[in-house]
Amino acid sequence: FYLLLIFCGVFFRCLGISIMVWFTLLFVFIIVPAVLGVSLGIRRLYIVTLLKVFEWATSRMEMGAKEKNQQLYKPYSSGIIAKEPPSSWQQEIQDLRGSASCLRSEPEFEMADIFYFCRRGVESIMDDEVTKCFSAQELESWNLLTRSNYNFRHISLRLTVLWGLGVLIRYGVLLPLRVTLAVTGISLLLVLTTLVGLLPNRELKFFLSEKVHLMCYRICVRALTAIITYHNRENKPKNGGICVANHTTPIDVIILANDGCYSMVGQVHGGLMGMIQRAMVRSSPHIWFERSEVKDRHLVAKRLGDHVADKTKQPILIFPEGTCINNTSVMMFKKGSFEIGCTVYPVAIKYDPRFGDAFWNSSKFGMVNYLLRMMSSWAIVCSVWYLPPMNREEGEDAVQFANRVKAAIAAQGGLVDLIWDGGLKRAKVKDAFKEEQQKLYSKVLVGRRESEIKHFQAWRTM
Amino acid sequence: MGSSNSSVNNIPNAQELMQETGFSAAHILRLHERFEFLDKHKCGQLRPQDFGAVQELALNPIGDSIISAFFSPGQETVDFASFVRILAHFRPTDRNQSRDGAQQEPANSSIRKLKFAFQMYDQDRDGKISRAELLQVLRAMLGIQVTEEQLQSIAERAIQEADLDRDDAISFDEFRKSLEKVDIDHKMSIRFLR
């Protein structure tokens, strides 16, 4: 019985000491640099090591597969089927004609034309660009996370041990660490912004709120072990403008706010999010809309416009895609933010998928599940490019302007520029697109309509 | 995606399907993933609305016809096996296929591909493409880009050329004859990666 008591005593002492050690380390190595805005370089060392480990793991897997004479089921981002690019559209139809009726010189409708449409239709059933954007990107090499691997079988003991070790480290060490940091960061944000909001002096309030926001975001960034590289910081958004970026995950906000102060735009939520929103608004001007107000486009435009007109207010941060895309492409930008008529500062964000997939598949995972996954990945590595500011040109309407900005962002981030609407995740295709298709096809036929009609009329009279 | 157990053995009747359609295990696996992706309600069957969710298909002029090709008359859902059987039509033809008389016509033979295309025109499945059906397809393909007269003349021309027995409709044999010179295997095949 005594032994048990002694054992318990020793156990709790050890626990107490280890927790103290833990917190001291945490404080010294993570929180203090975060507060001061200094980086110790630990994170970069961490990812270099990780990369080496991943390479080893992948080569082991390939060796293992070769030994067993099985083929490695390699997922490819290009999909199941080899697709023809749509620019060879007309060429295809001409080819069809060429093989069917080499005697005729004028193109006209052929029964065989249907083949082309059949094939395109079935191809899109098997694999299409749009739905690919809404599922996580597939990786070439394995990063020791079963969630991104199809080949996880027992290939070798060493690999399984390594994976097991990885799980232990991620869930046992990294996750609690990150959760602690996140809790610290959010509570600091709540407390400090409320305090700053109480200050009467306006100048001091602005100054302090900037510092407070930046500090808290830095802590949050460390809570996710996000390693961010900012490029072209001279193009950082300035007051009185709108910052637009491609949207992959709600974490985008933290990533951008880590480097500058923005006014967020969004719907008012309840619960914890709501508390955070209310606290933030006390110290700096954010734009939160009630659910009912979101539908009213004029109201939205007016509030954005008013904010932008006031040059003392921070730039607004907006994600014009309206929904999360999986970071391989950029979808249609909603024109609302481009109609306001102020300077637009485009920003491209590209995540490195090797360390953890940041994409939030909202149909698959809820917010809490997603955050847990994020916090138990190895790291989130991304690059942020600040692009030179753009203004709407003479004779350009909002949609064209939006497309121009979108193209610039896609080019910089190495993403595919798509015409499709992200909102199509849930809604139907616009008729305008259908008309485009019909126009294309009719050009092939009707382009030489005149000659065909004459030919036909001549034939009729014979 | 995620850490789901991705083995062909989890798919019911996988071996038979592979035998019947000629798809490899990897293909069946990918198609199964695709099937599950399209099956938003997770009920193991696809409905016409599930196909309708594919935006590129909604743009296709004969999109609705393609969707209805998956559903046998009277059926409202399609299961994975039928899904794969229809898609098998688009496999490239096997050059050195040796068939004895007893074996069934493979899904990806030229005749079956032609039949699929014929079905696109022949909506009511009565074995003939009537003038009205042809006009319907043409209208879908061209929309408002052509006038009614132009449409009529195109349809007239097409029927005149193909209709050999002068019954003002195109039967499957006439359809096949008019497309003798077309390289069907190439035009109606989808190349699968690996």
Side-chain angles (χ1 to χ4, degrees):
Chain A
F1 182 61
Y2 278 132
L3 274 173
L4 196 64
L5 266 180
I6 293 171
F7 180 67
C8 280
V10 168
F11 179 69
F12 280 119
R13 274 256 227 100
C14 282
L15 201 66
I17 294 179
S18 57
I19 290 185
M20 257 190 4
V21 167
W22 171 282
F23 270 112
T24 323
L25 277 176
L26 199 79
F27 197 68
V28 169
F29 281 112
I30 300 181
I31 297 195
V32 167
V35 169
L36 297 174
V38 161
S39 171
L40 285 177
I42 301 178
R43 284 177 293 161
R44 293 205 187 268
L45 185 63
Y46 171 60
I47 49 169
V48 168
T49 326
L50 273 183
L51 269 175
K52 291 215 182 77
V53 173
F54 295 163
E55 271 167 32
W56 181 85
T58 318
S59 61
R60 283 295 306 173
M61 265 177 33
E62 282 172 351
M63 266 170 41
K66 239 181 251 167
E67 278 164 25
K68 297 193 185 161
N69 253 337
Q70 279 165 351
Q71 264 210 299
L72 214 62
Y73 179 66
K74 257 207 164 102
Y76 3 76
S77 45
S78 43
I80 321 176
I81 50 187
K83 273 182 145 171
E84 315 285 331
S87 53
S88 62
W89 221 111
Q90 279 169 292
Q91 189 61 40
E92 284 238 17
I93 302 247
Q94 307 290 26
D95 284 345
L96 264 175
R97 280 10 178 352
S99 58
S101 52
C102 28
L103 305 164
R104 267 176 272 269
S105 50
E106 304 134 337
E108 64 259 325
F109 171 70
E110 293 282 346
M111 300 290 277
D113 284 350
I114 202 96
F115 287 171
Y116 176 75
F117 290 108
C118 276
R119 214 189 72 215
R120 287 296 296 268
V122 177
E123 269 178 6
S124 57
I125 291 182
M126 291 200 212
D127 203 2
D128 72 312
E129 292 182 317
V130 176
T131 42
K132 261 213 292 282
C133 293
F134 295 123
S135 60
Q137 186 182 20
E138 297 169 340
L139 283 182
E140 289 287 318
S141 66
W142 190 37
N143 58 359
L144 294 181
L145 297 169
T146 38
R147 60 184 81 138
S148 53
N149 180 265
Y150 295 85
N151 283 309
F152 186 65
R153 289 181 284 264
H154 181 79
I155 296 196
S156 79
L157 183 64
R158 262 194 275 179
L159 203 59
T160 318
V161 165
L162 193 65
W163 173 76
L165 201 65
V167 170
L168 217 69
I169 296 180
R170 279 186 297 122
Y171 283 92
V173 175
L174 293 178
L175 186 60
L177 179 70
R178 288 175 182 159
V179 170
T180 329
L181 280 173
V183 167
T184 320
I186 295 183
S187 26
L188 270 180
L189 184 71
L190 282 173
V191 166
L192 289 176
T193 46
T194 318
L195 283 177
V196 169
L198 292 172
L199 286 175
N201 186 341
R202 214 160 168 243
E203 293 257 330
L204 192 61
K205 202 156 103 165
F206 274 169
F207 179 69
L208 275 183
S209 97
E210 210 182 286
K211 295 281 172 263
V212 162
H213 273 277
L214 279 175
M215 185 187 85
C216 294
Y217 282 118
R218 274 197 292 264
I219 298 184
C220 287
V221 157
R222 277 159 177 78
L224 294 164
T225 317
I227 297 145
I228 312 170
T229 317
Y230 295 100
H231 303 268
N232 306 333
R233 294 178 79 185
E234 66 272 9
N235 290 327
K236 247 169 76 164
K238 302 191 180 47
N239 286 3
I242 296 188
C243 174
V244 304
N246 57 317
H247 200 32
T248 306
T249 149
I251 294 177
D252 285 341
V253 172
I254 302 180
I255 302 231
L256 286 179
N258 183 42
D259 195 41
C261 285
Y262 300 95
S263 290
M264 318 286 173
V265 178
Q267 249 185 32
V268 170
H269 286 100
L272 181 64
M273 272 305 296
M275 263 172 59
I276 300 178
Q277 283 177 330
R278 281 191 295 274
M280 282 166 72
V281 154
R282 284 195 202 109
S283 59
S284 66
H286 296 283
I287 305 178
W288 306 122
F289 288 104
E290 299 290 335
R291 190 147 259 172
S292 50
E293 290 174 336
V294 171
K295 294 283 164 54
D296 187 349
R297 286 189 51 203
H298 290 293
L299 182 66
V300 171
K302 186 170 183 309
R303 278 184 72 175
L304 290 177
D306 288 341
H307 185 108
V308 158
D310 184 350
K311 294 288 179 227
T312 60
K313 293 195 176 157
Q314 305 144 333
I316 304 180
L317 179 59
I318 289 188
F319 297 104
E321 280 165 317
T323 182
C324 293
I325 315 291
N326 77 345
N327 208 236
T328 55
S329 38
V330 182
M331 298 194 114
M332 192 173 97
F333 277 4
K334 301 210 181 335
K335 61 179 169 81
S337 22
F338 298 92
E339 282 172 334
I340 299 177
C342 57
T343 318
V344 167
Y345 297 90
V347 175
I349 309 177
K350 179 83 176 108
Y351 290 86
D352 188 341
R354 289 177 296 177
F355 296 95
D357 185 20
F359 168 58
W360 182 33
N361 192 341
S362 53
S363 53
K364 239 183 159 184
F365 308 110
M367 183 56 130
V368 178
N369 201 339
Y370 169 71
L371 283 175
L372 273 176
R373 280 166 67 97
M374 280 302 100
M375 294 203 189
S376 61
S377 315
W378 294 110
I380 295 175
V381 180
C382 61
S383 290
V384 175
W385 285 274
Y386 292 107
L387 296 166
M390 291 180 159
N391 277 298
R392 194 159 79 167
E393 282 167 11
E394 289 292 321
E396 208 181 29
D397 70 357
V399 177
Q400 289 165 332
F401 183 36
N403 284 335
R404 196 158 58 91
V405 173
K406 178 158 71 83
I409 293 183
Q412 180 63 271
L415 307 164
V416 177
D417 188 1
L418 293 181
I419 57 163
W420 306 100
D421 185 351
L424 288 178
K425 222 174 12 180
R426 302 172 195 103
K428 288 198 73 169
V429 174
K430 282 210 187 68
D431 286 325
F433 282 131
K434 225 172 180 154
E435 260 185 58
E436 274 298 312
Q437 288 280 302
Q438 289 167 335
K439 263 199 208 126
L440 273 174
Y441 181 57
S442 68
K443 273 208 195 88
V444 179
L445 297 187
V446 180
R448 319 251 178 108
R449 278 309 296 149
E450 276 65 51
S451 57
E452 221 231 72
I453 290 200
K454 288 203 193 83
H455 190 123
F456 184 64
Q457 281 167 347
W459 182 87
R460 268 299 235 8
T461 52
M462 282 200 301
Chain B
M1 312 296 150
S3 56
S4 53
N5 197 341
S6 50
S7 162
V8 163
N9 301 320
N10 289 351
I11 302 168
N13 310 324
Q15 295 299 330
E16 286 140 33
L17 274 177
M18 280 163 58
Q19 193 87 340
E20 207 184 309
T21 59
F23 280 128
S24 72
H27 296 156
I28 297 271
L29 203 57
R30 288 299 284 219
L31 287 174
H32 189 69
E33 270 169 27
R34 182 68 178 167
F35 182 84
E36 288 194 323
F37 178 82
L38 290 172
D39 178 15
K40 300 269 184 256
H41 300 282
K42 302 280 169 251
C43 54
Q45 309 261 350
L46 289 182
R47 269 174 289 251
Q49 304 93 292
D50 295 322
F51 285 101
V54 179
Q55 282 86 40
E56 281 175 29
L57 192 61
L59 280 193
N60 196 310
I62 52 168
D64 293 325
S65 313
I66 296 178
I67 294 176
S68 57
F70 282 86
F71 298 86
S72 318
Q75 262 199 327
E76 288 185 2
T77 59
V78 58
D79 62 0
F80 180 62
S82 320
F83 181 68
V84 172
R85 285 195 193 103
I86 304 279
L87 291 181
H89 289 303
F90 286 84
R91 262 190 63 235
T93 331
D94 306 314
R95 299 278 160 217
N96 49 353
Q97 206 169 28
S98 56
R99 276 174 22 232
D100 51 45
Q103 242 181 14
Q104 209 192 16
E105 185 86 35
N108 61 343
S109 65
S110 306
I111 290 284
R112 295 285 285 269
K113 290 186 203 281
L114 262 178
K115 269 227 166 77
F116 189 89
F118 187 75
Q119 251 189 347
M120 296 296 108
Y121 285 110
D122 180 22
Q123 283 293 305
D124 57 7
R125 310 216 183 169
D126 62 354
K128 286 187 182 307
I129 305 175
S130 68
R131 184 183 297 263
E133 285 170 335
L134 187 58
L135 275 172
Q136 212 177 25
V137 174
L138 282 172
R139 179 54 82 192
M141 290 207 267
L142 294 165
I144 53 167
Q145 307 300 320
V146 294
T147 65
E148 190 62 36
E149 298 91 51
Q150 286 172 323
L151 210 68
Q152 291 281 354
S153 68
I154 297 177
E156 183 70 42
R157 167 66 153 260
I159 293 192
Q160 296 285 356
E161 281 176 9
D163 188 12
L164 301 167
D165 61 3
R166 300 275 162 243
D167 62 351
D168 213 31
I170 305 174
S171 69
F172 181 64
D173 284 321
E174 291 164 350
F175 185 69
R176 189 163 49 89
K177 275 218 178 60
S178 73
L179 295 173
E180 264 170 346
K181 296 201 188 68
V182 177
D183 181 7
I184 297 167
D185 294 330
H186 183 236
K187 296 301 170 189
M188 287 278 275
S189 292
I190 297 180
R191 205 160 46 90
F192 282 84
L193 292 172
R194 198 176 63 90

